[in-house]
Amino acid sequence: MAKIEAITAGVNSVNIQHGPESESFRLGDVKLYNYAGLENLTLGQLANALCVHIGVALEDQSVNKMNVITLNARRLKATAKVLEDIMAGMGDYATTLAIPGYEGMTYLDFLTKEMGLSSGPDGVLPSALNTYDERMKVFSLLKEKMTSDATASQQDMVDLQTYMSRRDVAYATASNVIRATGSTLQSTAAACQ
């Protein structure tokens, strides 16, 4: 977040007349603010700039989180397809995926590269998918991964909702500041007539 710098623009004082004599009282400094490349902002303008800045940052976080959710949903869909085909005996390690983002990837590549399961003599994956026991072993491994991914996706959705809610509050606050400032200016102008 950018640094806020307060600048004294003047002194606010009042003169009180006591018969023939007058006395001046200093009420305080008149401040303007610099923030994020914007100069000489009033307090209302500063509050509005902060709210918009926060809203934009939360919007960025929302977009990034939505991208993560999309990738995880795509991976869950691919995992479900691989698991469905393997359990039905309709797929083996050489079968290729047609799920967007994974087109042309073999089931073995998906299981090792995307799901992080190891293959080979020392790996957790069975050497083939010919028997019921071999398919059940893959099922157990993928079920655990899918549960973990589903839990992470739920947390991502909660995070996304939180970011969007906070973003909405920031933008609503910016709108309220503008509305209140405009109303104050109208009241001041009406009183001066």
Side-chain angles (χ1 to χ4, degrees), residues 3-143:
K3 180 181 174 186
I4 299 171
E5 180 183 10
I7 298 165
T8 302
V11 175
N12 194 4
S13 60
V14 66
N15 288 325
I16 298 180
Q17 195 73 31
H18 300 287
E21 296 179 15
S22 147
E23 190 174 355
S24 180
F25 292 96
R26 179 185 168 114
L27 299 176
D29 294 336
V30 176
K31 299 268 187 188
L32 293 176
Y33 303 91
N34 295 341
Y35 169 72
L38 304 170
E39 296 180 354
N40 299 324
L41 301 173
T42 64
L43 186 58
Q45 291 169 328
L46 174 64
N48 197 35
L50 283 167
C51 289
V52 170
H53 187 95
I54 290 167
V56 168
L58 288 165
E59 183 73 28
D60 285 347
Q61 285 181 318
S62 297
V63 169
N64 290 338
K65 187 57 75 172
M66 192 63 207
N67 290 338
V68 168
I69 289 169
T70 301
L71 290 173
N72 285 343
R74 187 179 298 150
R75 187 168 79 184
L76 276 168
K77 185 175 180 180
T79 305
K81 176 65 174 157
V82 168
L83 190 56
E84 177 185 356
D85 287 353
I86 288 173
M87 292 309 297
M90 298 171 45
D92 59 22
Y93 289 143
T95 305
T96 57
L97 276 164
I99 303 291
Y102 299 105
E103 300 95 339
M105 183 179 268
T106 66
Y107 284 11
L108 182 61
D109 285 342
F110 178 79
L111 292 170
T112 56
K113 294 177 182 170
E114 289 297 317
M115 301 307 290
L117 301 172
S118 56
S119 64
D122 297 329
V124 294
L125 289 172
S127 59
L129 300 172
N130 300 326
T131 68
Y132 175 79
D133 288 338
E134 290 169 336
R135 289 192 297 271
M136 284 307 294
K137 181 168 185 172
V138 173
F139 171 80
S140 297
L141 294 168
L142 286 181
K143 181 181 175 204

Side-chain angles (χ1 to χ4, degrees), residues 42 45 177-193:
T42 64
Q45 291 169 328
V177 167
I178 291 171
R179 192 175 301 116
T181 302
S183 177
T184 300
L185 291 172
Q186 284 180 341
S187 299
T188 302
C192 292
Q193 293 179 355

